Amino acid sequence: MDIMLILQIIVLLGAIFIGIRLGGIGIGYAGGLGVIVLGLVLGMNVDTKMIPWDVVVIIMAVISCISAMQLAGGLDYLVQIAERILRSNPKYINYLAPTVTYLLTILAGTGHTAFSMIPVIVEVAKEQGIKPSSPLSIAVVASQIAITASPVSAAVVYMTGALEPFGWSYPVLLAIWIPTTFIGCMITAFIMTLVSNLDLNSDPVYKERLAAGLVSAPKGAQNMEVTKSAKLSVLLFIIGVIVVVLYATAISKIGGKPVLIENVKVNRDSAIVGIMLTVAALIVILCKIKASKIPETSVFRSGMTAAVCVIGVAWLGTVFVSGHTDQIKALSEEWVKAIPALLAVVYFFAAMLLYSQAATAKAITPVVIVALGITASDTSNVYMIVASFAAVSALFVLPTYPTLLGAVQMDDTGTTRIGKYVFNHAFFIPGVLAIAFSVALGFLATAIFG
């Protein structure tokens, strides 16, 4: 390892550390700072073409549509439905909480929808005398892993486009990723329920906060009046998601032949952006909301913050990866071919630094495809990528992701906390387990479908 590589790694990690300290949108800003230092000081090639613009555009389109639905009351309506599910069997909150956040992410294509569920999970857990940290940690992890199974997420749209030329179609990939990731989360919930001390009253931090009057009493179910506009906005959004799935399936190829549409004029990326913006327009018109107020919604603010973070951090990571493609190819060819599961480890560590499932997939996958000698005529190693995809969800490792921090801040019992050693937080073990099970199931599923 030469001195220049060492300096480049220091800049990469240093920029990420500064971003963590700044928090929020500052992570994206620090990424830009790191890019400048890598380019001007350390001589690496820098180009704005390295920014995953397609990923950013999809995130912005989906978030803008969900924001319109939120303004129309649709998101509150979905949360109310989810709350009823949680309260219907509160003793099983460790399973129901991640199920709800997983399904919301599958539908919306963003894990930020978990924000709306965190207060509900805390309330139901307190009512049952269960430490909120247990269902919260699994639920937040599930909302991140579900990104790799959502038909409208930027990560899935990119990966299906990258893998389809090698014989893995959009519907087949969803048929693998959805059950493997969901079952992985449920197995994790089962294990954490078995090994965790769920008794809220036994937690010393909770006792201290309760004595100090810092813990609010459970409020019970919150019944809100649901307007016609709220229901209509949800219906329009669901129809939009269904149209995306149907169109993406129609232009996919199975066995080298198109499912339905042969002469594709609108590719998958363009379709999802166009459909989401169209749905947003219909929500504004039919639900009679003011478009000028959409940027004021919480979903819009958090989503656009995420987009800037992707621009900065993904750009930083891509610049570094592009400068060391040959070394990465050599390592991938030697290690991953020997032990296929190591690709999941590569995705895992890249994701914890790049802060985005889609950005991680786009930075690492093309290099791995070349390193493994994958071509249209030799697709024998593609299964490794398909099976390992869930590992790009390791955004929980560093306790800086918005939904993770939101869970810590909103749990007034103090059971969901970050340890003094940074990595010893409530989300680490559930996250590692969920990814490990999802990847293991992925290898099993690819053996069947392959």
Side-chain angles (χ1 to χ4, degrees):
M1 184 180 293
D2 58 32
I3 185 65
M4 189 58 72
L5 176 57
I6 293 173
L7 291 174
Q8 290 166 355
I9 292 175
I10 290 173
V11 171
L12 173 70
L13 298 178
I16 292 171
F17 177 76
I18 291 172
I20 290 171
R21 295 298 297 271
L22 293 176
I25 201 169
I27 295 171
Y29 296 160
L33 171 63
V35 167
I36 293 299
V37 175
L38 287 178
L40 296 182
V41 180
L42 299 179
M44 298 194 77
N45 293 324
V46 174
D47 194 318
T48 53
K49 292 179 181 178
M50 295 176 177
I51 299 174
W53 290 116
D54 51 347
V55 171
V56 174
V57 170
I58 290 173
I59 291 173
M60 293 177 69
V62 173
I63 287 296
S64 67
C65 186
I66 297 173
S67 300
M69 182 175 68
Q70 182 183 23
L71 187 60
L75 194 56
D76 289 335
Y77 175 47
L78 287 176
V79 170
Q80 191 173 67
I81 294 174
E83 182 177 5
R84 289 173 185 167
I85 294 173
L86 289 179
R87 292 186 182 280
S88 62
N89 288 285
K91 292 182 180 180
Y92 299 104
I93 189 172
N94 275 6
Y95 300 97
L96 293 176
T99 297
V100 167
T101 56
Y102 182 94
L103 292 176
L104 284 175
T105 300
I106 284 281
L107 176 66
T110 171
H112 289 286
T113 51
F115 272 120
S116 57
M117 288 309 305
I118 291 172
V120 179
I121 295 171
V122 172
E123 287 293 307
V124 176
K126 285 196 296 186
E127 290 172 7
Q128 295 299 308
I130 295 173
K131 290 182 181 179
S133 59
S134 185
L136 278 179
S137 60
I138 308 168
V140 168
V141 166
S143 72
Q144 294 182 1
I145 291 181
I147 289 292
T148 61
S150 170
V152 294
S153 75
V156 167
V157 171
Y158 167 75
M159 284 297 281
T160 52
L163 298 177
E164 194 168 69
F166 306 117
W168 293 81
S169 67
Y170 178 82
V172 169
L173 289 170
L174 286 181
I176 292 173
W177 291 334
I178 292 176
T180 55
T181 53
F182 180 72
I183 294 171
C185 290
M186 290 300 100
I187 294 175
T188 300
F190 175 73
I191 292 175
M192 295 306 297
T193 301
L194 281 180
V195 303
S196 301
N197 177 8
L198 302 179
D199 183 13
L200 178 59
N201 292 317
S202 67
D203 189 88
V205 175
Y206 167 69
K207 289 179 180 179
E208 291 176 7
R209 293 181 62 82
L210 186 64
L214 299 175
V215 181
S216 62
K219 300 175 183 177
Q222 303 296 305
N223 294 315
M224 300 171 58
E225 183 180 352
V226 180
T227 64
K228 290 183 179 179
S229 294
K231 293 182 179 179
L232 178 59
S233 68
V234 171
L235 177 62
L236 290 171
F237 184 78
I238 292 175
I239 290 173
V241 172
I242 293 173
V243 171
V244 167
V245 173
L246 292 177
Y247 181 79
T249 301
I251 65 175
S252 294
K253 293 182 179 180
I254 297 179
K257 297 181 179 180
V259 172
L260 189 62
I261 302 174
E262 185 170 0
N263 187 19
V264 179
K265 298 293 185 181
V266 181
N267 62 27
R268 192 175 287 116
D269 291 18
S270 301
I272 188 173
V273 171
I275 292 170
M276 287 293 101
L277 293 178
T278 299
V279 171
L282 291 174
I283 291 174
V284 170
I285 295 169
L286 299 179
C287 297
K288 298 178 182 179
I289 60 174
K290 292 184 179 180
S292 60
K293 291 188 176 181
I294 291 176
E296 298 174 11
T297 62
S298 60
V299 169
F300 189 91
R301 291 196 299 271
S302 62
M304 293 309 128
T305 296
V308 174
C309 289
V310 169
I311 290 174
V313 179
W315 192 14
L316 173 67
T318 304
V319 167
F320 180 83
V321 170
S322 299
H324 300 283
T325 301
D326 292 338
Q327 295 95 316
I328 295 173
K329 285 179 182 177
L331 289 174
S332 298
E333 186 173 7
E334 181 181 352
W335 292 355
V336 175
K337 276 189 175 181
I339 307 176
L342 282 179
L343 177 56
V345 177
V346 174
Y347 275 140
F348 185 95
F349 282 102
M352 63 179 276
L353 297 178
L354 295 183
Y355 219 62
S356 163
Q357 292 94 334
T360 301
K362 190 160 189 179
I364 302 298
T365 303
V367 179
V368 172
I369 287 174
V370 175
L372 296 179
I374 296 172
T375 63
S377 58
D378 183 4
T379 61
S380 58
N381 290 325
V382 182
Y383 78 95
M384 301 180 191
I385 300 174
V386 177
S388 302
F389 180 43
V392 302
S393 301
L395 279 59
F396 57 82
V397 177
L398 297 173
T400 56
Y401 201 73
T403 47
L404 188 154
L405 291 176
V408 173
Q409 293 166 0
M410 293 184 204
D411 179 9
D412 61 356
T413 67
T415 62
T416 310
R417 46 187 180 262
I418 299 170
K420 62 179 180 179
Y421 301 111
V422 181
F423 293 102
N424 59 329
H425 53 76
F427 309 87
F428 187 81
I429 293 177
V432 172
L433 287 176
I435 285 181
F437 287 125
S438 297
V439 170
L441 291 168
F443 275 99
L444 179 62
T446 53
I448 297 172
F449 281 86

mmCIF file of all heavy atoms in Angstrom, residues 358-377:
data_model
loop_
_atom_site.group_PDB
_atom_site.id
_atom_site.type_symbol
_atom_site.label_atom_id
_atom_site.label_comp_id
_atom_site.label_asym_id
_atom_site.label_seq_id
_atom_site.Cartn_x
_atom_site.Cartn_y
_atom_site.Cartn_z
ATOM 1 N N ALA A 358 -28.757 2.532 -3.229
ATOM 2 C CA ALA A 358 -28.623 2.685 -4.684
ATOM 3 C C ALA A 358 -27.213 3.115 -5.075
ATOM 4 O O ALA A 358 -26.641 2.601 -6.039
ATOM 5 C CB ALA A 358 -29.646 3.701 -5.190
ATOM 6 N N ALA A 359 -26.647 4.061 -4.336
ATOM 7 C CA ALA A 359 -25.302 4.546 -4.653
ATOM 8 C C ALA A 359 -24.268 3.439 -4.477
ATOM 9 O O ALA A 359 -23.325 3.316 -5.265
ATOM 10 C CB ALA A 359 -24.954 5.731 -3.766
ATOM 11 N N THR A 360 -24.452 2.615 -3.448
ATOM 12 C CA THR A 360 -23.544 1.490 -3.221
ATOM 13 C C THR A 360 -23.623 0.492 -4.366
ATOM 14 O O THR A 360 -22.599 0.038 -4.891
ATOM 15 C CB THR A 360 -23.888 0.775 -1.904
ATOM 16 O OG1 THR A 360 -23.782 1.710 -0.828
ATOM 17 C CG2 THR A 360 -22.947 -0.393 -1.647
ATOM 18 N N ALA A 361 -24.842 0.154 -4.752
ATOM 19 C CA ALA A 361 -25.029 -0.789 -5.850
ATOM 20 C C ALA A 361 -24.392 -0.268 -7.130
ATOM 21 O O ALA A 361 -23.724 -1.018 -7.855
ATOM 22 C CB ALA A 361 -26.521 -1.045 -6.068
ATOM 23 N N LYS A 362 -24.565 1.014 -7.386
ATOM 24 C CA LYS A 362 -24.047 1.579 -8.637
ATOM 25 C C LYS A 362 -22.529 1.707 -8.620
ATOM 26 O O LYS A 362 -21.881 1.589 -9.662
ATOM 27 C CB LYS A 362 -24.686 2.945 -8.891
ATOM 28 C CG LYS A 362 -24.376 3.478 -10.280
ATOM 29 C CD LYS A 362 -25.340 4.537 -10.723
ATOM 30 C CE LYS A 362 -25.114 4.876 -12.189
ATOM 31 N NZ LYS A 362 -26.046 5.902 -12.684
ATOM 32 N N ALA A 363 -21.944 1.933 -7.457
ATOM 33 C CA ALA A 363 -20.492 2.083 -7.371
ATOM 34 C C ALA A 363 -19.773 0.741 -7.471
ATOM 35 O O ALA A 363 -18.705 0.640 -8.096
ATOM 36 C CB ALA A 363 -20.113 2.773 -6.071
ATOM 37 N N ILE A 364 -20.328 -0.293 -6.852
ATOM 38 C CA ILE A 364 -19.636 -1.576 -6.734
ATOM 39 C C ILE A 364 -20.000 -2.578 -7.830
ATOM 40 O O ILE A 364 -19.140 -3.288 -8.355
ATOM 41 C CB ILE A 364 -19.929 -2.209 -5.356
ATOM 42 C CG1 ILE A 364 -19.493 -1.254 -4.229
ATOM 43 C CG2 ILE A 364 -19.223 -3.549 -5.215
ATOM 44 C CD1 ILE A 364 -18.015 -0.942 -4.207
ATOM 45 N N THR A 365 -21.273 -2.638 -8.204
ATOM 46 C CA THR A 365 -21.738 -3.689 -9.117
ATOM 47 C C THR A 365 -21.019 -3.727 -10.467
ATOM 48 O O THR A 365 -20.607 -4.816 -10.909
ATOM 49 C CB THR A 365 -23.261 -3.575 -9.328
ATOM 50 O OG1 THR A 365 -23.920 -3.636 -8.057
ATOM 51 C CG2 THR A 365 -23.775 -4.701 -10.212
ATOM 52 N N PRO A 366 -20.854 -2.591 -11.163
ATOM 53 C CA PRO A 366 -20.166 -2.664 -12.468
ATOM 54 C C PRO A 366 -18.749 -3.224 -12.367
ATOM 55 O O PRO A 366 -18.311 -3.983 -13.236
ATOM 56 C CB PRO A 366 -20.136 -1.195 -12.923
ATOM 57 C CG PRO A 366 -21.252 -0.540 -12.189
ATOM 58 C CD PRO A 366 -21.296 -1.215 -10.859
ATOM 59 N N VAL A 367 -18.050 -2.864 -11.300
ATOM 60 C CA VAL A 367 -16.688 -3.359 -11.103
ATOM 61 C C VAL A 367 -16.702 -4.868 -10.875
ATOM 62 O O VAL A 367 -15.879 -5.608 -11.424
ATOM 63 C CB VAL A 367 -16.021 -2.648 -9.904
ATOM 64 C CG1 VAL A 367 -14.616 -3.188 -9.674
ATOM 65 C CG2 VAL A 367 -15.972 -1.143 -10.128
ATOM 66 N N VAL A 368 -17.647 -5.325 -10.074
ATOM 67 C CA VAL A 368 -17.745 -6.757 -9.764
ATOM 68 C C VAL A 368 -18.121 -7.555 -11.011
ATOM 69 O O VAL A 368 -17.599 -8.657 -11.238
ATOM 70 C CB VAL A 368 -18.780 -6.993 -8.645
ATOM 71 C CG1 VAL A 368 -19.037 -8.481 -8.455
ATOM 72 C CG2 VAL A 368 -18.296 -6.374 -7.344
ATOM 73 N N ILE A 369 -19.005 -7.013 -11.838
ATOM 74 C CA ILE A 369 -19.419 -7.696 -13.064
ATOM 75 C C ILE A 369 -18.205 -7.967 -13.956
ATOM 76 O O ILE A 369 -18.021 -9.074 -14.478
ATOM 77 C CB ILE A 369 -20.470 -6.862 -13.823
ATOM 78 C CG1 ILE A 369 -21.820 -6.929 -13.090
ATOM 79 C CG2 ILE A 369 -20.638 -7.362 -15.257
ATOM 80 C CD1 ILE A 369 -22.890 -6.032 -13.681
ATOM 81 N N VAL A 370 -17.358 -6.954 -14.089
ATOM 82 C CA VAL A 370 -16.147 -7.120 -14.901
ATOM 83 C C VAL A 370 -15.172 -8.080 -14.230
ATOM 84 O O VAL A 370 -14.588 -8.959 -14.875
ATOM 85 C CB VAL A 370 -15.470 -5.750 -15.145
ATOM 86 C CG1 VAL A 370 -14.143 -5.940 -15.881
ATOM 87 C CG2 VAL A 370 -16.390 -4.834 -15.925
ATOM 88 N N ALA A 371 -14.998 -7.915 -12.914
ATOM 89 C CA ALA A 371 -14.030 -8.749 -12.181
ATOM 90 C C ALA A 371 -14.383 -10.230 -12.227
ATOM 91 O O ALA A 371 -13.499 -11.087 -12.301
ATOM 92 C CB ALA A 371 -13.945 -8.283 -10.733
ATOM 93 N N LEU A 372 -15.669 -10.533 -12.204
ATOM 94 C CA LEU A 372 -16.100 -11.931 -12.208
ATOM 95 C C LEU A 372 -16.235 -12.506 -13.610
ATOM 96 O O LEU A 372 -16.649 -13.643 -13.779
ATOM 97 C CB LEU A 372 -17.433 -12.068 -11.459
ATOM 98 C CG LEU A 372 -17.409 -11.729 -9.966
ATOM 99 C CD1 LEU A 372 -18.793 -11.876 -9.356
ATOM 100 C CD2 LEU A 372 -16.416 -12.601 -9.221
ATOM 101 N N GLY A 373 -15.894 -11.680 -14.603
ATOM 102 C CA GLY A 373 -15.951 -12.167 -15.981
ATOM 103 C C GLY A 373 -17.358 -12.429 -16.473
ATOM 104 O O GLY A 373 -17.591 -13.293 -17.322
ATOM 105 N N ILE A 374 -18.316 -11.664 -15.950
ATOM 106 C CA ILE A 374 -19.713 -11.856 -16.333
ATOM 107 C C ILE A 374 -19.974 -11.178 -17.680
ATOM 108 O O ILE A 374 -19.709 -9.988 -17.853
ATOM 109 C CB ILE A 374 -20.655 -11.277 -15.264
ATOM 110 C CG1 ILE A 374 -20.494 -12.037 -13.943
ATOM 111 C CG2 ILE A 374 -22.104 -11.349 -15.730
ATOM 112 C CD1 ILE A 374 -21.238 -11.411 -12.776
ATOM 113 N N THR A 375 -20.468 -11.929 -18.623
ATOM 114 C CA THR A 375 -20.841 -11.409 -19.939
ATOM 115 C C THR A 375 -22.179 -12.015 -20.342
ATOM 116 O O THR A 375 -22.705 -12.903 -19.663
ATOM 117 C CB THR A 375 -19.785 -11.769 -20.998
ATOM 118 O OG1 THR A 375 -19.726 -13.209 -21.120
ATOM 119 C CG2 THR A 375 -18.406 -11.239 -20.617
ATOM 120 N N ALA A 376 -22.707 -11.546 -21.468
ATOM 121 C CA ALA A 376 -23.976 -12.085 -21.949
ATOM 122 C C ALA A 376 -23.873 -13.572 -22.267
ATOM 123 O O ALA A 376 -24.857 -14.312 -22.177
ATOM 124 C CB ALA A 376 -24.427 -11.313 -23.181
ATOM 125 N N SER A 377 -22.667 -14.007 -22.606
ATOM 126 C CA SER A 377 -22.465 -15.420 -22.936
ATOM 127 C C SER A 377 -22.010 -16.263 -21.740
ATOM 128 O O SER A 377 -22.049 -17.485 -21.782
ATOM 129 C CB SER A 377 -21.431 -15.557 -24.061
ATOM 130 O OG SER A 377 -20.201 -14.960 -23.682
#
